[in-house]
Amino acid sequence: MVTHVNIMNDASLLGEAIRYFTEELTQAFKNNNLKTVLTKYHYPDLAPTIVDNSIGSPDGKILVIGVPSCKLKELQGIFNAFGLKGRLECYTDYESIQRYNFRNLMYNDKYRLIIVGPMPHSTYGKDEFSSVINRMENTEGFPCVRRATANGSLKITKTNIKQILREELESGFLAA
């Protein structure tokens, strides 16, 4: 049995889909919610993270939140080697991350950078967002958020921590 495809119906459907997605993306852009919509369609890297350079000073604290694949002592050694001694603050176990009040980070000048890794999806302060990471990336008032990733997944490693710190120091966003 041969199935006939009505090309006109396919073209009409394609036109409707394009109009729908264009309208959804336009509204998301106007409402500062573009990254959430792009994440919904599995394209989170297409939208830049909202970075408020006025939050914290270049010599502020650097918060690492997530379960690392290396030891805390190794992270401290990396920070010391980059001239960032005493600026590391960590929440690295699921229980403390789950109870952490992320709302306290909004407009908090103590922190300059937040590096995030694997953490529970159910956390205090994620509100209507799919995750607290998504909320921090898409809501004005949070310090800069950088995802620590390896092989496309959230993972805090010595290598990606070094890379993030190197990039932020070279750009002048962080001061040693």
Side-chain angles (χ1 to χ4, degrees), residues 29 40 46 78 90 99-100 104 133 152 173:
F29 177 77
K40 172 180 163 184
L46 290 181
I78 292 167
C90 292
R99 290 189 308 269
Y100 189 81
N104 291 337
I133 299 170
F173 186 76

Side-chain angles (χ1 to χ4, degrees), residues 40-53:
K40 172 180 163 184
Y41 294 109
H42 308 290
Y43 291 101
D45 295 333
L46 290 181
T49 298
I50 295 171
V51 176
D52 187 344
N53 286 332

Side-chain angles (χ1 to χ4, degrees), residues 118-176:
M119 65 176 68
H121 286 286
S122 246
T123 54
Y124 184 73
K126 79 173 187 164
D127 296 338
E128 73 276 359
F129 290 89
S130 59
S131 72
V132 73
I133 299 170
N134 193 294
R135 178 178 187 217
M136 290 188 295
E137 289 175 331
N138 291 290
T139 304
E140 187 178 320
F142 282 97
C144 177
V145 174
R146 290 286 307 266
R147 291 177 185 237
T149 59
N151 300 321
S153 301
L154 285 173
K155 187 174 184 179
I156 298 172
T157 65
K158 293 183 288 187
T159 302
N160 62 26
I161 290 295
K162 289 176 187 176
Q163 179 184 349
I164 290 169
L165 295 177
R166 187 176 303 109
E167 289 172 1
E168 299 302 345
L169 285 164
E170 287 175 0
S171 74
F173 186 76
L174 289 176

Side-chain angles (χ1 to χ4, degrees), residues 55 101-109 111 114 127 135-136 139-143:
I55 306 281
N101 186 352
F102 288 89
R103 290 184 188 116
N104 291 337
L105 296 172
M106 289 186 77
Y107 301 103
N108 189 334
D109 286 335
Y111 301 102
I114 302 169
D127 296 338
R135 178 178 187 217
M136 290 188 295
T139 304
E140 187 178 320
F142 282 97

